[in-house]
Amino acid sequence: MEALIGVLPGDGIGPEVMAEAQRALRFIEKKYRHHFVYREALIGGIAIDSQGHPFPADTRKLCAEADAVLLGAVGGPKWSDPDSNVRPEQGLLGMRSAMGVFANLRPVQTHPALYAASPLRSERLAGVDILVVRELTGGAYFGRKERTPDSATDVCTYTRAEIERVLRMAGELARTRRRKITSIDKANVLETSRLWRSIATELYAREFPDVKLDHMYVDAAAMHLLSRAADFDVLVTENLFGDILTDEASMLTGSLGMLPSASLNAEKRGLYEPIHGSAPDIAGRGIANPCGTILSAAMLLRHSLGLETEALAIEQAVITAIESGCRTADIALPGKSPVSTGDMGDAVLRALDTQ
Ligand code: IPM
Ligand code: MN
């Protein structure tokens, strides 16, 4: 098939991990006879430096035209002055909003080869297979913001329509899995959560009677993710809770560097990015873990291009590469020397080649 893929490497380790994901995509093109056109654009700090805006017009145009967009990371100390009113993160949030990608899918699966990299004991990791569906274009991230020298305000608003569409997407995804949804909120305190909870109860009873629904407060969910993660199937939650819980959940898999994500709109035209940030402390050293971005490319093949076989091939190749002992510093085994970003990418290509 033919497809136009927008490539936004961004800041920090973004370009390094993106290079490996693109190599994996090119390999897939050759092996399965597809033709992808890659068009690159600027986002984040690098876009501020060269164009004065974190989400320039060219990038916006590419996002509107591409079949899917793959992003590295944005941000860094150079642009993090809290008093500045232009920030790299605004580029990312502006892009999510412009593309209307309201559902952010963050799968969290554990694998025996990575148990040792997790701070948790392996008996807590066995059989963990969670899909977090994070609402991505609403809540406190996008509400009215105000600041005076002595007070600050972030308004959190959710409409019925915003809640329904993300709950529906989670419901459809649950049907492809174990048909269990945990809706996470703070309904004992927040009005938005009380609306969320009542809509979830109604909507799943009416439209998804075959899916089992539980509600859970976010503080309890944070705890249960560490004590009994294997009990969860699909978690659905609002923007900020989803942001925090997925960083926490990444520790089940061993490293933040492992987790991919897909952000989908109603047409499933998506934005794909690892959940980690730009990691300025290790940027430019060739030691970042590219797996989160490589696995995001796999999600792109699955959700935006409908190429399930190819997506599975990449996912399997990442596991094979890690099992072969090729591991970057964040997931290295004790006493074994870590490999570089490029070596990790090589190992994935070798695994793809020998499948
Ligand atoms: C993420 C990131 C972003 C977010 C930041 C960089 C704005 O942490 O994708 O999880 O908070 O959504
Ligand atoms: Mn985050």
Side-chain angles (χ1 to χ4, degrees):
M1 80 176 300
E2 304 241 337
L4 172 63
I5 300 180
V7 173
L8 312 180
D11 305 317
I13 59 171
E16 299 163 51
V17 292
M18 179 64 80
E20 302 312 317
Q22 256 190 290
R23 287 172 73 208
L25 283 174
R26 290 209 177 92
F27 197 94
I28 290 288
E29 278 184 83
K30 253 202 280 148
K31 181 162 173 181
Y32 294 90
R33 298 177 186 282
H34 299 301
H35 179 57
F36 302 151
V37 175
Y38 304 89
R39 204 182 298 156
E40 227 178 273
L42 300 174
I43 183 94
I46 187 171
I48 294 176
D49 285 353
S50 75
Q51 318 222 356
H53 195 286
F55 183 42
D58 282 356
T59 311
R60 185 180 287 267
K61 184 160 172 281
L62 175 59
C63 290
E65 287 171 9
D67 295 298
V69 175
L70 188 61
L71 176 119
V74 300
K78 184 172 172 198
W79 307 282
S80 62
D81 174 2
D83 291 327
S84 154
N85 48 19
V86 200
R87 274 186 301 276
E89 291 77 10
Q90 292 163 340
L92 180 57
L93 300 185
M95 177 167 59
R96 289 173 179 171
S97 179
M99 294 181 71
V101 286
F102 60 84
N104 179 222
L105 282 45
R106 297 186 162 188
V108 178
Q109 281 157 356
T110 55
H111 192 278
L114 285 166
Y115 286 179
S118 170
L120 295 172
R121 286 200 304 273
S122 41
E123 61 263 34
R124 301 235 191 268
L125 305 174
V128 173
D129 180 3
I130 301 174
L131 176 65
V132 181
V133 180
R134 167 188 173 194
E135 200 291 326
L136 201 64
T137 51
Y141 275 67
F142 292 92
R144 182 173 53 82
K145 293 179 185 291
E146 255 172 38
R147 178 70 183 271
T148 71
D150 300 314
S151 84
T153 305
D154 296 281
V155 175
C156 179
T157 303
Y158 269 107
T159 63
R160 172 175 291 272
E162 285 173 325
I163 297 171
E164 284 182 352
R165 65 186 180 178
V166 73
L167 292 176
R168 238 176 232 125
M169 178 90 80
E172 280 157 19
L173 290 161
R175 281 189 171 141
T176 68
R177 301 170 48 94
R178 304 194 302 281
R179 294 177 187 253
K180 235 170 74 175
I181 293 188
T182 310
S183 172
I184 294 169
D185 62 42
K186 187 74 183 170
N188 49 347
V189 178
L190 301 177
E191 215 45 68
T192 41
S193 283
R194 284 192 273 273
L195 179 65
W196 182 286
R197 190 175 280 222
S198 78
I199 294 177
T201 304
E202 260 171 49
L203 183 139
Y204 288 124
R206 193 176 62 235
E207 297 180 23
F208 297 89
D210 52 321
V211 169
K212 182 176 178 319
L213 170 68
D214 288 309
H215 301 281
M216 192 179 281
Y217 295 139
V218 62
D219 48 352
M223 177 184 71
H224 291 300
L225 271 175
L226 301 184
S227 59
R228 52 178 194 91
D231 293 347
F232 292 117
D233 179 14
V234 174
L235 303 187
V236 62
T237 192
E238 66 99 50
N239 204 344
L240 182 59
F241 296 161
D243 178 47
I244 298 167
L245 290 178
T246 47
D247 265 38
E248 183 194 4
S250 75
M251 284 294 103
L252 299 161
T253 70
S255 169
L256 191 58
M258 290 302 302
L259 282 208
S261 86
S263 305
L264 306 179
N265 59 21
E267 300 95 60
K268 302 253 165 103
R269 263 191 351 102
L271 167 65
Y272 298 83
E273 49 176 321
I275 85 156
H276 64 68
S278 60
D281 51 324
I282 59 163
R285 291 166 55 196
I287 59 171
N289 184 349
C291 292
T293 314
I294 295 174
L295 292 168
S296 298
M299 292 188 88
L300 181 158
L301 297 173
R302 168 176 298 121
H303 294 286
S304 284
L305 307 186
L307 301 175
E308 179 65 24
T309 306
E310 291 81 340
L312 283 171
I314 292 187
E315 286 162 355
Q316 185 53 54
V318 168
I319 292 294
T320 308
I322 290 169
E323 280 172 344
S324 78
C326 235
R327 303 161 75 115
T328 44
D330 56 320
I331 53 171
L333 292 169
K336 284 268 187 99
S337 42
V339 306
S340 69
T341 308
D343 289 345
M344 188 79 237
D346 285 343
V348 173
L349 295 189
R350 271 200 307 278
L352 276 172
D353 200 23
T354 52
Q355 264 167 6

